[in-house]
Amino acid sequence: MVGEADVQGASVCKLEQCALVKLDSDFAEIQTYPPSEHLAIVVLRPRSQAKPAVLQLLTQFIALLSGEPLEGNLWILQENGLHIR
């Protein structure tokens, strides 16, 4: 959904019951994007948006899936840890 407005992307994920995984910290605003209204919202916060940094966080994300609740939550994943709301 390249080029689509944030609200449009969030609406499609909500409708299709898909987790929303973004590099955009706007999705961490729980008043605008309440986690309980979506399957899950995951905000990746790499040290840079270079491919290796993003892939490192995605690898951490996949490893955490089996041990942390995803559904109905906002995950903010940084290199130094995970915050769940």
Side-chain angles (χ1 to χ4, degrees), residues 30-48:
I30 61 174
Q31 291 81 14
T32 305
Y33 302 101
S36 62
E37 293 182 9
H38 299 271
L39 177 68
I41 299 173
V42 179
V43 177
L44 302 176
R45 303 291 296 157
R47 61 180 148 61
S48 77

Side-chain angles (χ1 to χ4, degrees), residues 45-58:
R45 303 291 296 157
R47 61 180 148 61
S48 77
Q49 289 191 8
K51 190 175 184 178
V54 174
L55 288 175
Q56 178 185 356
L57 276 185
L58 284 172

Side-chain angles (χ1 to χ4, degrees), residues 6-81:
D6 289 347
V7 174
Q8 179 63 25
S11 293
V12 169
C13 287
K14 186 175 177 179
L15 180 68
E16 295 183 5
Q17 286 293 291
C18 297
L20 180 63
V21 180
K22 298 287 284 184
L23 294 168
D24 187 344
S25 62
D26 290 348
F27 288 95
E29 297 176 15
I30 61 174
Q31 291 81 14
T32 305
Y33 302 101
S36 62
E37 293 182 9
H38 299 271
L39 177 68
I41 299 173
V42 179
V43 177
L44 302 176
R45 303 291 296 157
R47 61 180 148 61
S48 77
Q49 289 191 8
K51 190 175 184 178
V54 174
L55 288 175
Q56 178 185 356
L57 276 185
L58 284 172
T59 301
Q60 289 177 14
F61 169 65
I62 292 167
L64 291 168
L65 282 172
S66 64
E68 298 292 340
L70 182 63
E71 192 169 330
N73 288 312
L74 164 64
W75 281 29
I76 301 174
L77 183 59
Q78 299 174 312
E79 292 176 23
N80 62 350

